[in-house]
Amino acid sequence: MAGGPMIGIVAVSHSRSLATAAVGLAQEMLHGESVRIVVAAGLDEHTLGTDAVAVSEAIAHADSGDGVLVLMDLGSAVLSAELAIDLLESPHEVRLCAAPFVEGLIAAAVSAAGGADLDEAAIEAREALAGKQTHLGVPVAARPDAEGESAEESAVSGRFVVANTHGLHARPAARLVAEVRWLPASVYLRNLTTGTGRVSGKSLSRVAALGALCGHEICVEATGPGAADAVDRLLELAAQRFDETDDSTDSSAAGHHLPERGTGPYPASDGIGIGPVWRLGHAELVVTEAPSGPPELERALLDNAIDDVADDIERTRASAGAEADIFRAHLFLLEDDDLIDAVHRGILAGRSAAAAWNQVLESAAAELDRLTDEYQRARAADLRAVRDQVLAVLLGHGIDIVTRPGVLVSSDLTPAQAAGLDRDIVTGIVLAQGSPTSHSAILARSRGIPAVVGAGADILSVGEGTVIALDGGAGTVVVDPDPATLAEFTGLADAHRQRRRDAEANASEPAVTRDGLTVQVAANVGDVDTAAESVQGGADLAGLVRTEFLFLDRESAPSIDEQEQVYRAIAEQFAGRRIVLRTLDVGGDKPLPYVAQPEEANPFLGVRGIRLTLERRDLLRDQLTAIGRVAADHPVSVMFPMITQLDELLTARGVLDEVVAPEIALEVGIMVEVPATAAKTATFAEHVDFFSIGTNDLTQYALAAERGNDALNSLADPLDPGVLRLIAMVCEDAGSAHVAVCGEAAADPTAAAVLLGLGVDELSVSPPAIPLTKARVRELDLSQCRRIADEALRCADAEEVRALAAKTLE
């Protein structure tokens, strides 16, 4: 990744103590960023004066190739600086700046830390008095053109008021950055309400650190080619709330309202946990300042570590199922040019890669810590998670958790650590920090581990081995409970466990409703290991095999033979039960290194799924060939993802007919992920054997609410009547084709009743959810489910649907 501008700064003053103090003040404003500032002041420690030779040496020392900005206090300091330039043998560009010495030095340093070039830093320095002048009522002169900048290239600006309920937290900030990143113009933002900024619109960490809350006024400024268009596009995006819909309702996690800061503990993942305390045992990350070699070696070490971590995150993401998008923000941070450039500047200044990386990311996280909004503060954990993963690689050891029995007590968990916990032996999680919107909490819920977060620092002083009882649904934590309290928790835990044991004991039996309807409960499979787990858990079939695990984290596509071998191994695990192989579902948000694709502003609406494989017909042809070979001796179905047009389906079927003999029995189906597909079900029905509704994508597309967006947890609910109406359309128009659901909603006990009432006849869930899903189906009466579904379509929102179902099913 190429480094950005790294200008040097020279402070020329008659007084060495004044210059040293001014530089110290400027560095306090950098929050750990590294900017090369050299002092040329005084004739010695105590004698006032300036020396042109000393100034010339300071300029040479500050010059790293991107130019030097020189600030002077008064009188002969200016003459000495001018003479110093004449003394230089072959200087790069040097700019003498007529800015106020102290204020200008601070403004220039902060601007340089943000990656400003010489022109931009000079403008910031010259305008450093504007804030003070405005505050004191002194008229401020119009801003002059930047030196060397023509009138046609002057800045274009505009303003908007943040309308998002939770401000520019990570997701809308990421949407803004995605819009700006590929624009030819240079775009900067200021928070006019707080006076924060100017920051680059291309840096996720800096935009988030603006602290822009709902109602704050933001100034957008753009220069260069397409500046006016850039401002217009951002103002339009802001008017659309950065693609967040009406988020005026309180966001929550799993139905729990977020309390005020400091009022925890609060619930994060339902369930009862009892057990001895245990703590993380990974090695301490000890960072040394001294580099192990020249800057080129340190940069190579950093780049390799970032690549290794990115690969690890991609692997975790590939196996994370419905929560895979949690790791997308971490990959985004690893590609943040402003962060990486700041680290590179630290390395060039003589620091080790580990020290520079640690300082820059901790500084960015600390900025988020200081914000007043809970959702924005929670993203500091993402920065620290990425920081620690890269540091671990740089320092030569891992930070993976070795799971132990009992209740894990920790300050916080990274998403990767949460995803790596063995849910069979971890009885609970208690975190001193965090919130229900944190990614570690989301993953705890998806893995069925009871969790309480925000328990406070005191929980960290509880000794290892001390018994803790927690209720993840109520947010209750009891340390060293007395016998009566322990008995109460034990009773609740026993009831939970008994229900699961009963479900597991009957998991191999069919799921039949009380009035006689047999519902297929299938597994969502990510590899051969999860196939084995699914069969052991009682899956009736593999309702969704995500074949992309074979295509990720490699330099070339798998061969036909390799694909056949893996698909056959999965089919053999299911021993005669059908497996549904979904063709490659990758694209803009899940790129393949061996498939060239342009960057997309919104990859969820881009070239993904069937759109990509129809462009790369060789990938589709090879995959269908391998699937056909397995279908010759195993019950196999093929499913095409992201189908929106009949032509796409017919073309895909044409490729299938080319490579698979007609005598091979191969059912064909499509994913229903897009509202238009649901609305056109009748058009597709005569060409397919089944439909599989991906409620995760269907919900996000129908409600314009990105899945995985913490601020939209309560909005992006598949039980929204609008989403339910789309599912009803599929069931009504499917004809003889059967209808499955393979999204998270299939494992939701309330949603399952509504889905069956709408006409769904197959629920495909994650392997751990199979026994309880079957048990839930056996408790239901189909006629009652139909009454609930009919009323649900007339409800106002998902909350009303859930209340209706809960009351009816009591």
Side-chain angles (χ1 to χ4, degrees), residues 567-632:
Y567 302 154
R568 188 176 298 281
I570 293 173
E572 288 172 352
Q573 287 289 340
F574 277 87
R577 281 165 281 186
R578 182 166 296 279
I579 66 169
V580 179
L581 295 164
R582 183 178 67 186
T583 60
L584 183 61
D585 187 15
V586 297
D589 64 321
K590 292 182 284 186
L592 297 175
Y594 45 88
V595 176
Q597 280 189 271
E599 293 286 344
E600 296 177 309
N602 193 335
F604 285 107
L605 302 180
V607 181
R608 54 179 296 209
I610 197 67
R611 299 170 181 175
L612 174 64
T613 54
L614 287 179
E615 283 189 2
R616 284 293 305 270
R617 202 70 61 85
D618 55 321
L619 292 175
L620 182 61
R621 184 175 289 106
D622 285 356
Q623 187 169 32
L624 293 177
T625 300
I627 291 172
R629 290 180 181 177
V630 179

Side-chain angles (χ1 to χ4, degrees), residues 56-215:
S56 177
E57 291 174 348
I59 292 172
H61 184 59
D63 188 6
S64 63
D66 290 302
V68 177
L69 187 68
V70 182
L71 292 103
M72 307 140 288
D73 55 7
L74 47 84
S76 63
V78 180
L79 299 178
S80 294
E82 289 177 325
L83 179 58
I85 294 177
D86 293 335
L87 295 175
L88 292 170
E89 294 183 1
S90 55
H92 290 100
E93 186 175 5
V94 179
R95 181 76 49 80
L96 303 184
C97 185
F101 183 68
V102 175
E103 293 90 341
L105 181 61
I106 293 171
V110 172
S111 180
D117 61 20
L118 200 55
D119 287 337
E120 293 169 324
I123 293 171
E124 290 293 305
R126 289 202 308 268
E127 295 185 350
L129 288 179
K132 189 189 299 182
Q133 290 169 334
T134 300
H135 182 76
L136 297 176
V138 178
V140 180
R143 172 174 173 165
D145 288 344
E147 296 171 22
E149 184 181 73
S150 67
E152 289 76 18
E153 295 176 323
S154 297
V156 177
S157 65
R159 298 182 180 190
F160 67 87
V161 174
V162 178
N164 301 67
T165 298
H166 300 291
L168 289 184
H169 59 90
R171 298 292 181 162
R175 178 67 185 89
L176 185 152
V177 170
E179 185 75 18
V180 169
R181 178 170 285 187
W182 306 111
L183 296 177
S186 297
V187 179
Y188 300 92
L189 303 172
R190 302 175 192 268
N191 188 331
L192 300 179
T193 302
T194 63
T196 308
R198 183 183 188 228
V199 303
S200 169
K202 296 185 178 182
S203 170
L204 175 62
S205 59
R206 294 188 181 279
V207 171
L210 277 175
L213 301 179
C214 185

